[in-house]
Amino acid sequence: MSFDEADIPGAVRVPVESTRVVAVGEGGGPLVFDWDVGARIKVRDLGGEIVIEANAAGLRTLAGHLLVLAGDGVFDGAHLHLEAGVGLREGSVGLVLERDDEE
């Protein structure tokens, strides 16, 4: 699947097979989200708890996404949306990873 970030103003869609997405944060530099080759991630809602199922590449990918959001200079509210077919496997519920520095 080919992808051009300019196709969707203000939004970044993440194809499952993509290996890199660059998003520009408010007042900050680019946020670079990388996917390990072969990453498979599925998120399920069991009605009281959320289960994230992933292979090793998927777990490394999620860890990397969290480290990007935890980086110096990343603004409060920076986030990444993942949905079924857009970063997550089909059948997943949506997942938002968001930085929140408020106490």
Side-chain angles (χ1 to χ4, degrees):
M1 168 186 263
S2 65
F3 169 71
D4 183 351
E5 294 160 21
D7 290 343
I8 308 168
V12 177
R13 292 185 54 84
V14 183
V16 175
E17 297 303 319
S18 178
T19 58
R20 174 166 283 189
V21 169
V22 179
V24 178
E26 292 177 10
L31 302 178
V32 179
F33 297 97
D34 289 310
W35 269 255
D36 280 16
V37 174
R40 291 189 313 274
I41 306 164
K42 184 171 186 175
V43 179
R44 296 186 300 137
D45 180 352
L46 300 182
E49 59 187 13
I50 300 297
V51 176
I52 298 174
E53 299 171 345
N55 62 2
L59 292 172
R60 284 190 301 271
T61 294
L62 285 173
H65 294 348
L66 293 171
L67 288 171
V68 167
L69 290 170
D72 292 338
V74 176
F75 66 95
D76 183 47
H79 60 278
L80 176 66
H81 288 262
L82 302 172
E83 300 171 8
V86 186
L88 300 177
R89 296 189 77 173
E90 291 298 329
S92 292
V93 297
L95 176 66
V96 178
L97 305 175
E98 182 173 347
R99 180 169 178 152
D100 180 4
D101 291 325
E102 293 184 22
E103 293 184 30

